[in-house]
């Protein structure tokens, strides 16, 4: 079905792997299309309650494949390739995990920043590589990075383009969990399956209104919370959560 990525579903988790290891999983137009298709599939499949994006081989994603850079209109590449992928990640009301197994450079870093959680291998690193080829950060980078690390640090990282080792990324707040290499597979699977067993509708509402809160005042956020709570209160998972609390047992959520 796909040539530049792989897609599989296990235990209510959709696993999307960027699969050009010989090119450090650099993006091509075909990869844009296939990643967007996979995200749309994960969004519409009811059994999928969490998504993991990772890379094959030793890299997460090295950014844009610059093999045919001279013929590219970068604005068109963004509008037609990267931007729809970022929008699909942000709008999907299911938790999305970037499992950063190796270097995440340029648009690869942007992809990770757009996800809801970042599990990062101790051997991984981030690089704001755009400046090294005379370009500006893109694919949502200028939106997500300052929200994660603050304006001043974002300016520093974007302009200097220095390598950010995993430990430093963790200190800056870019990392959800720092994972030892020897326990990488187990910890990513455990984290993803934990999310997939949680109240999916509530997670989606949290994601939706957290995103809206950046451009809202207090009164608007209070109303967003009221709207979200009405919706969450009508879910089967809320009813199960209350029943489990009253019965002093662990709830079994079904994502509805």
């Amino acid at each position: 079905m796909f040539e530049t990525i792989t897609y599989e579903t296990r235990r209510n988790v959709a696993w999307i792997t960027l699969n050009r290891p010989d090119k450090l999983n650099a993006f091509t137009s075909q990869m844009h299309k296939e990643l967007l298709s996979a995200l749309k599939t994960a969004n519409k499949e009811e059994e999928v309650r969490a998504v993991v994006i990772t890379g094959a081989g030793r890299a997460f994603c090295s950014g844009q494949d610059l093999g045919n850079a001279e013929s590219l209109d970068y604005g068109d590449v963004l509008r037609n390739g990267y931007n729809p992928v970022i929008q699909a990640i942000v709008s999907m009301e299911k938790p999305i995990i970037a499992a950063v197994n190796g270097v995440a450079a340029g648009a690869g870093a942007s992809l990770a920043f757009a996800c809801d959680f970042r599990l990062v291998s101790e051997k991984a690193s981030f690089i704001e590589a755009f400046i090294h080829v005379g370009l500006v950060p893109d694919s949502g980078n200028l939106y997500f990075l300052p929200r994660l690390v603050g304006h001043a640090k974002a300016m520093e990282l974007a302009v200097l383009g220095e390598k950010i080792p995993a430990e430093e990324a963790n200190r800056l707040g870019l990392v959800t969990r720092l994972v030892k290499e020897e326990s990488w597979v187990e910890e990513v699977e455990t984290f993803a399956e934990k999310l997939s067993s949680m109240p999916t509708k509530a997670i989606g509402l949290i994601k939706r209104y957290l995103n809206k809160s950046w451009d809202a005042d207090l009164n608007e956020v209070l109303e967003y919370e009221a709207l979200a709570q009405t919706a969450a209160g009508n879910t089967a998972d809320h009813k199960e959560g209350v029943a489990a609390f009253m019965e002093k047992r662990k709830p079994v959520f079904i994502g509805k």
Side-chain angles (χ1 to χ4, degrees):
M1 182 177 177
F2 297 119
E3 294 180 9
T4 65
I5 70 168
T6 64
Y7 180 95
E8 63 176 320
T9 302
R10 305 194 307 268
R11 297 183 182 178
N12 301 114
V13 179
W15 296 83
I16 302 172
T17 303
L18 309 181
N19 193 31
R20 301 184 70 224
D22 56 321
K23 299 292 185 180
L24 301 182
N25 302 317
F27 274 111
T28 62
S29 59
Q30 182 177 359
M31 184 181 281
H32 292 146
K33 293 174 184 175
E34 292 185 354
L35 179 54
L36 182 60
S37 176
L39 289 167
K40 289 180 176 178
T41 298
N43 190 39
K44 70 182 181 183
E45 287 186 343
E46 192 170 297
E47 68 175 301
V48 172
R49 293 168 59 190
V51 178
V52 174
I53 301 174
T54 192
R58 61 190 178 91
F60 175 72
C61 176
S62 60
Q64 175 65 33
D65 189 327
L66 295 174
N68 60 340
E70 293 181 0
S71 64
L72 295 177
D73 180 318
Y74 292 119
D76 286 344
V77 171
L78 290 172
R79 294 185 189 98
N80 299 324
Y82 289 100
N83 294 357
V85 167
I86 301 303
Q87 289 162 343
I89 289 171
V90 173
S91 64
M92 189 189 303
E93 294 195 352
K94 299 177 182 181
I96 302 180
I97 303 159
V100 184
N101 55 301
V103 66
S110 304
L111 176 66
F113 299 157
C115 293
D116 304 308
F117 303 93
R118 280 158 296 283
L119 302 190
V120 179
S121 167
E122 286 186 329
K123 67 176 183 178
S125 60
F126 296 90
I127 306 173
E128 291 285 281
F130 305 93
I131 197 69
H132 299 303
V133 288
L135 295 174
V136 301
D138 59 32
S139 307
N141 197 293
L142 295 178
Y143 181 89
F144 295 108
L145 186 60
R147 285 164 169 76
L148 290 167
V149 303
H151 179 98
K153 181 57 69 171
M155 184 70 176
E156 175 189 329
L157 297 177
V159 171
L160 298 183
E162 296 173 343
K163 180 180 179 179
I164 312 166
E167 289 281 359
E168 175 69 3
N170 188 38
R171 188 185 68 79
L172 291 174
L174 292 170
V175 176
T176 305
R177 298 275 172 84
L178 195 60
V179 182
K180 293 184 181 299
E181 184 176 356
E182 59 267 25
S183 58
W184 173 251
V185 173
E186 179 184 354
E187 289 201 39
V188 173
E189 288 181 345
T190 298
F191 189 87
E193 289 171 13
K194 176 182 178 179
L195 285 176
S196 72
S197 70
M198 294 176 71
T200 312
K201 297 295 184 184
I203 294 174
L205 290 164
I206 291 169
K207 181 172 177 177
R208 181 195 306 177
Y209 289 114
L210 268 178
N211 287 331
K212 283 181 172 289
S213 73
W214 287 103
D215 300 312
D217 59 29
L218 174 60
N219 288 335
E220 289 173 315
V221 172
L222 291 172
E223 180 57 22
Y224 290 158
E225 291 171 348
L227 290 169
Q229 212 65 300
T230 294
N234 288 319
T235 63
D237 281 341
H238 169 62
K239 294 177 176 62
E240 164 62 9
V242 172
F245 177 80
M246 298 301 293
E247 296 165 13
K248 294 181 171 54
R249 61 174 174 81
K250 185 177 180 180
V252 179
F253 297 119
I254 59 174
K256 296 181 181 179

